[in-house]
Amino acid sequence: MLHVRMLFGGDDRDMDLRVEKVANSKRKQEVKNIYTASFPKEDRMPFGMMLMMSYLWNTEFLSFYDRDTLCGFVYMATIRKLTFVMFFSVAENLRSKGYGSRILDEIQSIHANNKIIVSIEPCNQDADDIEQRLRRKKFYTNNGYEETGYCIKLGGKKQEIIIKNGAFDKRELMLFLMLYSNFTLIPKIRKC
């Protein structure tokens, strides 16, 4: 279990961000509730599969707590010097309070020398939820993530690739996804 001491802007109180493996947590159902509330069914992996995959050497499924309050979770994989954040969410009632940024900082701290990749829905002006997509992208760019100019098709949906801590390499991500999926996934990565 990791502890990260944090100060929130404008708030003088200290907070301890505690990191816990979801598979070892007694609060798995609460993490699952955040997960199912945050992602549409067609975009989700089965929760049980995520728990099983988190026992692999290259997969982490972590929950984050401020004292006893569950703040959010991340599901990510790392191969060599590349970490791909597949699912990340903050509890809805705690959004816009700095927790998301602190969790991203912790991900970077855990994988200090790695490139961190996230895929997000593209900000197409004709999207029904364009405001939400723009807020999400701004959140990541405010936290040091940069556009790559590339998109990936995952689960039949086009996603924009953003990166932190290094230059994007299309072949590196393709190899990562092929290795991670045991060569069952050959991703389509193209210029957006």
Side-chain angles (χ1 to χ4, degrees), residues 61-128:
F61 193 7
L62 305 174
S63 51
F64 298 83
Y65 298 84
D66 178 8
R67 296 185 176 101
D68 290 328
T69 302
L70 174 61
C71 302
F73 74 90
V74 65
Y75 180 83
M76 60 188 170
T78 300
I79 297 176
R80 297 187 183 118
K81 294 291 182 183
L82 183 67
T83 299
F84 185 36
V85 175
M86 297 176 210
F87 296 99
F88 165 57
S89 186
V90 172
E92 191 171 358
N93 64 321
L94 296 176
R95 292 179 187 158
S96 299
K97 298 181 188 289
Y99 289 106
S101 295
R102 301 304 184 208
I103 292 170
L104 289 180
D105 288 346
E106 182 58 23
I107 292 167
Q108 187 65 62
S109 176
I110 292 168
H111 298 289
N113 298 314
N114 289 15
K115 296 178 189 178
I116 311 289
I117 288 185
V118 177
S119 65
I120 59 172
E121 294 172 310
C123 295
N124 301 334
Q125 292 302 319
D126 59 343
D128 292 337

Side-chain angles (χ1 to χ4, degrees), residues 171-187:
R171 291 179 349 142
E172 182 181 37
L173 180 58
M174 288 181 73
L175 180 59
F176 172 96
L177 291 169
M178 289 188 299
L179 288 170
Y180 187 71
S181 70
N182 203 22
F183 293 92
T184 61
L185 174 66
I186 299 174

Side-chain angles (χ1 to χ4, degrees), residues 7-190:
L7 284 174
F8 283 79
D11 189 347
D12 291 334
R13 67 188 181 107
D14 288 335
M15 296 185 176
D16 276 330
L17 187 67
R18 182 170 47 88
V19 182
E20 187 175 280
K21 290 182 179 184
V22 175
N24 298 340
S25 176
K26 294 177 180 165
R27 297 172 69 181
K28 287 181 197 74
Q29 186 60 48
E30 290 176 67
V31 174
K32 184 178 181 180
N33 292 345
I34 293 172
Y35 176 58
T36 57
S38 300
F39 297 94
K41 186 175 183 174
E42 63 271 12
D43 293 347
R44 294 191 306 248
M45 285 177 62
F47 191 77
M49 180 185 289
M50 292 168 71
L51 289 171
M52 287 189 312
M53 295 286 290
S54 72
Y55 287 103
L56 296 175
W57 64 272
N58 57 2
T59 305
E60 296 167 282
F61 193 7
L62 305 174
S63 51
F64 298 83
Y65 298 84
D66 178 8
R67 296 185 176 101
D68 290 328
T69 302
L70 174 61
C71 302
F73 74 90
V74 65
Y75 180 83
M76 60 188 170
T78 300
I79 297 176
R80 297 187 183 118
K81 294 291 182 183
L82 183 67
T83 299
F84 185 36
V85 175
M86 297 176 210
F87 296 99
F88 165 57
S89 186
V90 172
E92 191 171 358
N93 64 321
L94 296 176
R95 292 179 187 158
S96 299
K97 298 181 188 289
Y99 289 106
S101 295
R102 301 304 184 208
I103 292 170
L104 289 180
D105 288 346
E106 182 58 23
I107 292 167
Q108 187 65 62
S109 176
I110 292 168
H111 298 289
N113 298 314
N114 289 15
K115 296 178 189 178
I116 311 289
I117 288 185
V118 177
S119 65
I120 59 172
E121 294 172 310
C123 295
N124 301 334
Q125 292 302 319
D126 59 343
D128 292 337
D129 60 347
I130 185 62
E131 293 300 320
Q132 180 184 32
R133 291 179 185 204
L134 289 168
R135 278 193 313 272
R136 183 176 298 123
K137 187 171 186 175
K138 186 174 193 278
F139 163 74
Y140 282 108
T141 58
N142 285 346
N143 281 284
Y145 286 77
E146 299 175 357
E147 295 179 349
T148 63
Y150 283 88
C151 286
I152 186 168
K153 201 164 190 178
L154 294 171
K157 286 191 174 183
K158 183 178 171 182
Q159 299 273 309
E160 180 181 351
I161 300 166
I162 57 177
I163 191 166
K164 183 173 183 182
N165 206 31
F168 178 71
D169 181 333
K170 176 182 169 181
R171 291 179 349 142
E172 182 181 37
L173 180 58
M174 288 181 73
L175 180 59
F176 172 96
L177 291 169
M178 289 188 299
L179 288 170
Y180 187 71
S181 70
N182 203 22
F183 293 92
T184 61
L185 174 66
I186 299 174
K188 292 180 174 95
I189 301 172
R190 297 191 172 97

